[in-house]
Amino acid sequence: MKSFNFKSATNTKEAAKLVSGRATFLAGGMSLLPAIKLRLAAYSDLINIKKIKGLSGIKVSSKSIKIGATTTHAEVAGSKEVGKSIPSLAVLAEGIGDPQVRNRGTIGGSIANNDPAADYPSACLALNATIHTSKRKIAADKFFKGMFDTDLKKGELIESIEFEVPEKSAYAKYPNPASRYAIVGVYVAKLKDNVRVSITGAGSCVFRSIEIEEALSSNFSPSAVDNVNISSKGLNSDIHASAEYRAHIIKVMTRKAVSSC
Amino acid sequence: MAVINIEINGKKISKEVPDNILLSDFLRERLTLTGTHVGCDTSQCGACVVHLNGNSVKSCTTLVADCDGAKITTIEGLASNGKMHPVQEAFKKHHGLQCGFCTPGMVMSAVDLLEKKKNPSEQEIRDWLEGNICRCTGYQGIVAAVKDAASKM
């Protein structure tokens, strides 16, 4: 494994100071460490943020759930509060990787990495999330910029993610049979003011489907998407699924999500 | 390099380690605890599973530097006074292994499950062992072993 310096920060200011040059933040390491091992990434320093107080934990109010950046997937999946107010979010967390990955992997790390097949970015978009960082608040709609790319600036640390509590919501994932990542994942949320539908795994970056949102706004039922035309243009095509197949699966997963709302 | 203080199988250890050494390599090469296996080295196969502060993790994707102050249990730490852990006994009884390469990780994952959930269903056992791959048994003996062990823990 390529060499680097390991440093632990005790507060966000110290973390920002330490992350200069070719350094980066380390949370659970479930994406970062494999990337370094495979020589897809190299850093001078890894700044451990798990010892920063206040970065982990779940706060619930009637309108939103705020989850600290270093909260693990297992903690979200097992949280009674999350299960009660946004059950679909607990289901999503329970479906990430395997138990050992869920014991280490964090929500902040997942969205900072913005893997095209990650689950959490779809929850952020569908549940109209706000990303609280060490510098500002970012709307989820502006956060996910492209493949492995976000609006985060150098040294900016995610502190928490605040999800709007929907009237109803569901996440349906068509997983890769071996690795369980989303070949296509569809998150459907009926919020107070509108319906939001986000799709992960199908494109180079998570995105919202305006066509499906419009169809579900006028008729929130599985059959509402029957006449919606999902274009395969720009969707991922690989050995697991062609772009046309992914376009088809988007509708299948949408129906599944809506019917389990 | 930094000095790391950890407790492994109940024994306190203080060692100077490079910042980039993985827990799996540290256990095997520095402490000769070779019961923890490295199969894929990409956090998929689960042969390297150990317990970190009471939770199962993949030691091939964990830095020792990140474990300062932690309590770690490996497969070597399960037996007590020469008596196998109920999960180990059950794996032997139900032929939950053939070549045995995946077994340390499989057992450590199963122990974590049974410590968190007393009587898991067959589906819950299969779901939980998703991160552990066995190329010999076809999993039937493994699931039977975990079920049997659940009644004895």
Side-chain angles (χ1 to χ4, degrees), chain A residues 7 9 18 20-21 31 34 71 88 112 114 147 152 155 169 176-178 204 211 213 216-217 222 226 238 253:
Chain A
K7 294 169 186 168
L18 288 170
S20 60
S31 297
T71 310
S88 59
N114 193 18
M147 188 161 66
L152 289 170
S169 65
N176 173 291
S204 59
E211 301 94 323
E213 288 181 1
L216 292 177
S217 295
D226 287 355
D238 53 37
M253 288 299 110

Side-chain angles (χ1 to χ4, degrees), chain A residues 6 37 50 98 103 180, chain B residues 19-20 56 58 60 66 130:
Chain A
F6 179 92
K37 285 165 79 178
K50 290 188 293 297
D98 56 48
N103 279 338
R180 319 308 286 169
Chain B
D19 286 6
N20 68 341
S56 55
K58 295 194 168 167
C60 82
D66 212 352
E130 188 175 332

Side-chain angles (χ1 to χ4, degrees), chain A residues 16-91:
Chain A
K17 211 171 151 189
L18 288 170
V19 82
S20 60
R22 285 177 49 246
T24 196
F25 297 124
L26 172 73
M30 293 296 98
S31 297
L32 186 62
L33 295 178
I36 296 172
K37 285 165 79 178
L38 291 166
R39 311 234 160 180
L40 296 170
Y43 299 97
S44 60
D45 303 81
L46 298 188
I47 314 304
N48 176 30
I49 58 162
K50 290 188 293 297
K51 292 195 172 165
I52 300 176
K53 277 186 189 154
L55 273 195
S56 173
I58 297 165
K59 283 181 196 149
V60 182
S61 72
S62 60
K63 287 179 184 164
S64 72
I65 288 189
K66 202 171 180 183
I67 302 179
T70 59
T71 310
T72 64
H73 309 324
E75 286 164 344
V76 175
S79 160
K80 279 182 188 159
E81 293 101 325
V82 175
K84 206 172 160 193
S85 52
I86 317 183
S88 59
L89 195 58
V91 169

Side-chain angles (χ1 to χ4, degrees), chain B residues 121-134:
Chain B
S121 67
E122 179 172 336
Q123 193 56 49
E124 283 170 330
I125 294 168
R126 288 181 182 276
D127 286 347
W128 185 269
L129 296 177
E130 188 175 332
N132 294 82
I133 296 171
C134 172

Side-chain angles (χ1 to χ4, degrees), chain A residues 90-133:
Chain A
V91 169
L92 176 146
E94 184 69 35
I96 298 173
D98 56 48
Q100 289 73 40
V101 168
R102 295 196 286 274
N103 279 338
R104 291 288 281 171
T106 69
I107 185 167
S110 170
I111 69 162
N113 190 46
N114 193 18
D115 188 302
D119 297 293
Y120 267 129
S122 69
C124 294
L125 278 190
L127 298 170
N128 196 21
T130 303
I131 321 297
H132 296 254
T133 78

